Amino acid sequence: MSDDHIKMSKTTPMQVVSAVLGGLLPPLIAIILIVVLVIKIQMSHSSAAPLNMDPKVVDARIKPVGDLVVADLSKVHVDMTGEQVFNAVCTACHTPGALGAPIFGNKALWAPRIKQGYQTLISHAENGIRSMPARGGNPDLSDLEIARAVAYMANAGGANFTPPAAPSAPAATATPAAK
Ligand code: HEC
């Protein structure tokens, strides 16, 4: 009986070999197939031609996706309407009547001014007169803006001045005519 027991539990070298092969072979084949697959994918990605290492080409290759363009808007002057100029600059004195400025909309105060004529008022506004500073104190205002602002103010005081047209502005982008 003890002999039988020994026989039954004894594994032959052949059994060991087949067990080892049976356990190792399938994963080994799987690993080999995966490695082959990865190599194939890598080969399909790398181009046949060697990578161009010219600095310019490399720069182009690694340059950021977005380009930053800085536009200097301070160099672009867009003429405001008479009303816009008035609200930005002239209103400071011409609404409260500061320093004796003719008050906006006050016909009695504007009548004698208007009598001088549009061109005279424009030139006084551009160059200044007594307490009225040249261009209302804002040298950035263009002649057109001054003319528009003068017409806007004088017309509110009873005049009927027509401001000069914007110089050769395309109809589509022309600023709305100043009042
Ligand atoms: C710092 C205050 C001040 C500002 C800002 C100002 N004005 Fe005057 N303005 C005056 C005063 C004061 C007078 C009256 C001057 C006088 O006749 O003694 C005047 C008068 C005028 C007159 C009448 C001139 C005349 O010959 O009778 C015009 C036109 C005028 N201003 C236009 C403008 C315009 C256009 C602006 C804005 C771009 C402006 N002013 C901004 C103070 C100002």
Side-chain angles (χ1 to χ4, degrees):
M1 181 168 169
S2 57
D3 271 2
D4 279 352
H5 180 74
I6 291 166
K7 250 184 204 163
M8 277 177 70
S9 64
K10 198 173 192 180
T11 41
T12 64
M14 194 54 209
Q15 277 177 316
V16 172
V17 170
S18 65
V20 167
L21 285 186
L24 282 188
L25 261 187
L28 198 66
I29 291 172
I31 288 171
I32 289 173
L33 286 179
I34 289 171
V35 168
V36 167
L37 186 70
V38 168
I39 289 174
K40 269 191 184 168
I41 290 174
Q42 273 186 341
M43 272 166 46
S44 75
H45 277 207
S46 67
S47 58
L51 215 50
N52 190 339
M53 294 307 281
D54 184 305
K56 277 185 202 151
V57 179
V58 172
D59 275 356
R61 198 156 54 224
I62 65 175
K63 89 177 172 71
V65 177
D67 271 336
L68 183 63
V69 177
V70 180
D72 187 357
L73 288 180
S74 65
K75 288 202 178 108
V76 181
H77 182 93
V78 178
D79 284 317
M80 290 186 279
T81 65
E83 184 177 0
Q84 286 170 335
V85 174
F86 174 79
N87 288 329
V89 180
C90 322
T91 185
C93 295
H94 284 270
T95 294
L99 307 172
I103 295 172
F104 182 83
N106 185 319
K107 296 201 164 106
L109 288 177
W110 273 97
R113 313 271 179 181
I114 291 166
K115 271 196 201 125
Q116 302 176 94
Y118 188 27
Q119 292 311 318
T120 305
L121 290 181
I122 289 175
S123 109
H124 286 170
E126 281 178 0
N127 305 312
I129 180 169
R130 293 178 285 268
S131 305
M132 161 73 200
R135 294 180 191 270
N138 185 342
D140 290 341
L141 292 177
S142 69
D143 288 354
L144 179 60
E145 286 174 317
I146 292 294
R148 284 173 171 175
V150 169
Y152 176 73
M153 270 204 285
N155 290 353
N160 193 18
F161 298 146
T162 307
S168 67
T173 58
T175 38
K179 279 187 263 174

